[in-house]
Amino acid sequence: GPEAGEIRTFFVAAGRWRRGVGRALMEAALAGLAARGYSEATVWSFAANERANAFYEAHGFARDGTERTEETWAGIAEFRYRRALP
């Protein structure tokens, strides 16, 4: 719905993992959505991407039960994650 803003995509180079870059990007994205008046945030993640899924869950996201596959991504299953914004 109109109350949910979507975080489309961000990537961190593997050589920069575990250095706070992803956390800083996520915090900025969530703050930006909240500043724009959204009360929820969503993000799509590949079902098999355990590292990304753990990252989203560590930042308060939970799967909301919505799944999809897109031809653009070779039909790989994706899950939607959702969380409330402060």
Side-chain angles (χ1 to χ4, degrees):
E3 72 284 347
E6 181 179 9
I7 298 172
R8 290 283 297 178
T9 305
F10 65 81
F11 295 95
V12 175
R16 298 291 183 229
W17 289 350
R18 313 279 314 155
R19 295 187 181 180
V21 175
R23 180 177 53 249
L25 288 169
M26 179 60 76
E27 289 171 359
L30 294 173
L33 290 174
R36 288 170 178 79
Y38 293 104
S39 60
E40 295 180 305
T42 63
V43 63
W44 287 93
S45 184
F46 293 119
N49 192 342
E50 294 177 14
R51 177 182 288 275
N53 297 338
F55 174 81
Y56 298 133
E57 290 168 7
H59 285 85
F61 286 86
R63 291 181 188 172
D64 71 2
T66 304
E67 300 179 26
R68 72 180 181 192
T69 58
E70 291 188 18
E71 188 176 318
T72 302
W73 298 112
I76 298 171
E78 296 177 87
F79 295 134
R80 186 171 63 194
Y81 285 81
R82 181 181 299 269
R83 65 159 280 176
L85 294 171

